[in-house]
Amino acid sequence: MSAEHAFHPPVVTTPDGRPLDVIELRGLTVDCIVGIFNRERIAAQPLRLDVALFLDTRAAAVGGRLAHTVNYGRLAGELRFLLEACRFELLESAVETVCRYVLAPPTDDVPRAQVHAATVRVTKPLALGGLAVPSLQIHRTAAEMVYGREEKGFGRVDIIHEGAGYGVYRLRVKPGGCIPTHVHQQMEESELVLGSGLLLQFKPVARGMAFHWPRGFLHRYDNPSSTEQTVLCVDRPGFIPSDEVETEPPPEGLLPVTGHSYYPLDEPAAPGSPAEHQP
């Protein structure tokens, strides 16, 4: 990275003055729809993302467990999914969404350390045809974040962020719960499965798999596990309650689906070792 484009997060300290540890994810480049002009709404362009996460990693250093830190490989996939699915109009929306997502409290099916603050920068390298490189950097803390919450029959929904033309949600399916067979006629929906215990269309689905639901496509989730399971959901436009139309599965069954994995294709060196102690 050239000096003029260097990423410089601030120093963040605890209340007693000790600097927090920092995990950085630099130079994540995603081809996505971002911008307000007609050409930007039609053709994808590269967006470069730099993220600094401020947290305490001492428990991970001692215990050697990913659940006590942040799995940056999976996080990179989740952020790539958000940038691709939301189709932001403004850089301001993109950075705010990323900040709100990484600062959200962890869930039981995806244990990780709580991130106390985050610095996020997004850059549009090609926006001005090489004459200049526009970017936006913001800094937010977990303490200032307020997330909406809705109780549902299947569990609950965390409202991560709602902006112009999109909404980002965490669907948290309780043990034994299900998101019944349903269809949308107005919203387009993209979903990334975060937990490892869900059934989709009555078939097991791996964590890190993403699916796009076009209008009119029947789909459902079931959670037969003993742990709450989470799905990261992007609706375009933001969620419309009247457009969540439940229906019975057709007699011939639900159509099978093929998703796309956003997680690294890696395996622990020693299965069952403490470093990979995540459900």
Side-chain angles (χ1 to χ4, degrees), residues 30-102:
V30 182
D31 288 333
C32 57
I33 299 294
V34 57
I36 60 175
F37 300 111
N38 288 337
R39 57 180 171 79
E40 295 179 307
R41 305 307 298 170
I42 296 173
Q45 63 177 301
L47 196 71
R48 192 175 67 225
L49 179 67
D50 300 300
V51 179
L53 309 176
F54 298 88
L55 67 163
D56 189 337
T57 64
R58 287 177 293 182
V62 173
R65 297 183 185 275
L66 276 171
H68 294 156
T69 183
V70 172
N71 186 323
Y72 47 78
R74 290 175 181 168
L75 178 63
E78 292 158 17
L79 298 183
R80 185 162 61 90
F81 167 80
L82 285 174
L83 293 176
E84 291 178 349
C86 287
R87 300 181 184 176
F88 298 108
E89 295 184 356
L90 299 177
L91 292 183
E92 287 82 352
S93 298
V95 291
E96 192 70 29
T97 298
V98 169
C99 261
R100 291 185 62 82
Y101 179 69
V102 300

Side-chain angles (χ1 to χ4, degrees), residues 125-204:
L126 304 183
L128 299 178
L131 297 175
V133 179
S135 69
L136 173 65
Q137 178 173 312
I138 68 172
H139 182 83
R140 301 286 187 267
T141 66
E144 66 186 297
M145 292 297 169
V146 177
Y147 298 95
R149 170 176 173 169
E150 294 183 359
E151 300 299 326
K152 298 287 187 179
F154 63 78
R156 59 178 279 193
V157 174
D158 297 330
I159 303 173
I160 302 299
H161 194 238
E162 292 180 312
Y166 69 92
V168 179
Y169 314 94
R170 287 195 311 199
L171 314 181
R172 301 173 62 170
V173 187
K174 64 187 177 183
C178 77
I179 300 178
T181 305
H182 64 285
V183 66
H184 310 296
Q185 298 297 347
Q186 301 177 60
M187 299 181 296
E188 289 190 40
E189 195 167 64
S190 299
E191 291 177 329
L192 178 67
V193 176
L194 301 180
S196 60
L198 279 175
L199 303 179
L200 171 60
Q201 313 293 70
F202 299 110
K203 303 291 185 181

